[in-house]
Amino acid sequence: MDMRVLVTGGAGFIGSHVVEALTAGGHEPVVYDVRVDAGSDVRDADAVRHALSGVDAVCHQAAMVGLGTGFTDAPDYVSANDLGTAVLLAAMAETGVRRLVLAGSMVVYGEGRYSCARHGVVRPGPRAVADLAAGRFEPLCPACGAELTPGLVTEDAPVDPRNVYATTKLTQEHLAAAWARTTGGSAVSLRYHNVYGPRMPRDTPYAGVASFFRSALARDEAPRVFEDGRQRRDFVHVRDVAAANAAALEAGSAPGALTAYNTGSGEPHTVGEMARALAHAYGGPEPVVTGEYRLGDVRHITADSARLRSELGWKPEVGFEDGMREFARAGLREV
């Protein structure tokens, strides 16, 4: 059925593509975004209740994103992401809107899936500063200290948020699950992996690594790759993420619960590979591997998106090479 869908953050990077996907699917998206109207803040209960009038579902994209620059911005993250989500869900409970798709994140897992030849699947702890500073980037088996083999993380993996942003994204899921149980609503969290594509915000402390590299190339500078460039990620195109949102809204989920879906391409690539592909497509300088690191970054996190494919019939359409060629030519947006 065609739905009227409130898209919070609908003027943002991912949200604007979600709006386009919903429109193409015959739905009526309603954009709710502080970029469009200073009064459209999800923490404003009166404004949210007004925006929910006549709405069938909510696609909640509005958030303060990225790793951040330290712990001092924790109150801002918690306010924007968790208080904002609580206000939105309370208004949905009050107004009777019972269908939600949440922009989740793979950061809730912490490190990805690892296996040890001797001990099977293991969960390494946070990497030590001394190891990172010495260029020892790979996590080791907590039982024997051996090298580990990274694999694909599934939705039933234990959660282990390792920075403020990750903690707020997990809290959003807990709030949505509580809302669903209380109201009988349908809640889906799409745990985005590394989203890239047109309209990505340009170089800011909160932008994704693809944006940093693209911004450097636009300045005719070499992309600077942290660690040794061999950290593995799942780079998924923003149009594929938008299509996943449309599929999740149309399918709904079991009432009274939250269902989480990894949302990734299913094709792991290293950060170094991504930087080289983007630099070659742009025709800019070769990337420079710096050995620098950010405390709180994880080494490897790649998605098993089989559940999303099988249950919602979604599949990514934009391949890595094609996506990077398009992204090299696409314009970035100011924050």
Side-chain angles (χ1 to χ4, degrees):
M1 67 171 183
D2 295 342
M3 291 179 284
R4 192 165 191 257
V5 182
L6 185 69
V7 183
T8 70
F13 166 45
I14 298 175
S16 63
H17 287 276
V18 171
V19 166
E20 290 177 357
L22 292 174
T23 301
H27 304 294
E28 180 189 351
V30 179
V31 173
Y32 187 88
D33 196 300
V34 291
R35 297 171 186 84
V36 175
D37 177 359
S40 296
D41 190 311
V42 289
R43 292 166 291 191
D44 185 332
D46 290 338
V48 170
R49 279 193 295 269
H50 178 74
L52 287 169
S53 177
V55 161
D56 302 300
V58 173
C59 192
H60 185 30
Q61 306 292 315
M64 186 173 176
V65 301
L67 179 60
T69 54
F71 198 83
T72 55
D73 52 13
D76 293 333
Y77 274 100
V78 171
S79 177
N81 296 354
D82 297 338
L83 176 60
T85 298
V87 170
L88 172 66
L89 293 171
M92 290 173 67
E94 184 179 335
T95 56
V97 180
R98 295 292 182 263
R99 189 175 293 223
L100 171 73
V101 174
L102 171 69
S105 175
M106 54 83 178
V107 294
V108 300
Y109 297 117
E111 284 285 356
R113 178 185 173 91
Y114 294 88
S115 59
C116 170
R118 287 180 58 196
H119 296 98
V121 175
V122 297
R123 293 188 59 77
R127 296 180 294 171
V129 172
D131 287 335
L132 293 169
R136 296 187 294 268
F137 301 120
E138 293 289 347
L140 301 177
C141 176
C144 68
E147 291 187 7
L148 299 172
T149 301
L152 300 181
V153 67
T154 56
E155 291 90 349
D156 58 0
V159 291
D160 184 18
R162 296 192 174 184
N163 56 56
V164 170
Y165 171 64
T167 301
T168 65
K169 295 306 289 184
L170 182 56
T171 300
Q172 284 185 312
E173 289 194 359
H174 289 323
L175 288 166
W179 166 84
R181 284 193 298 270
T182 303
T183 64
S186 163
V188 169
S189 178
L190 297 175
R191 290 176 174 169
Y192 301 161
H193 281 247
N194 290 71
V195 186
Y196 74 97
R199 296 179 224 146
M200 225 180 162
R202 69 176 60 252
D203 210 350
T204 80
Y206 308 101
V209 66
S211 171
F212 275 109
F213 295 164
R214 177 66 175 74
S215 297
L217 290 165
R219 298 190 299 267
D220 200 32
E221 297 173 4
R224 295 176 60 81
V225 180
F226 279 15
E227 301 187 17
D228 57 4
R230 295 175 185 162
Q231 55 273 44
R232 288 155 55 97
R233 297 291 187 269
D234 185 314
F235 298 99
V236 58
H237 196 277
V238 66
R239 285 197 299 275
D240 287 331
V241 167
N245 275 271
L249 279 167
E250 289 163 0
S253 67
L258 178 136
T259 306
Y261 293 100
N262 286 336
T263 307
S265 71
E267 298 179 3
H269 289 274
T270 68
V271 172
E273 285 173 343
M274 189 270 284
R276 288 191 295 274
L278 191 57
H280 292 167
Y282 191 86
E286 284 288 311
V288 174
V289 178
T290 68
E292 297 173 290
Y293 63 89
R294 294 195 309 178
L295 200 62
D297 274 349
V298 297
R299 179 61 174 174
H300 303 295
I301 176 70
T302 54
D304 182 340
S305 300
R307 178 186 289 180
L308 183 58
R309 292 168 182 254
S310 64
E311 294 188 9
L312 301 189
W314 170 90
K315 67 180 192 299
E317 302 288 348
V318 183
F320 179 76
E321 297 295 340
D322 288 343
M324 288 300 160
R325 279 194 292 270
E326 181 199 24
F327 185 45
R329 297 188 297 268
L332 299 175
R333 63 188 291 158
E334 301 295 337
V335 175

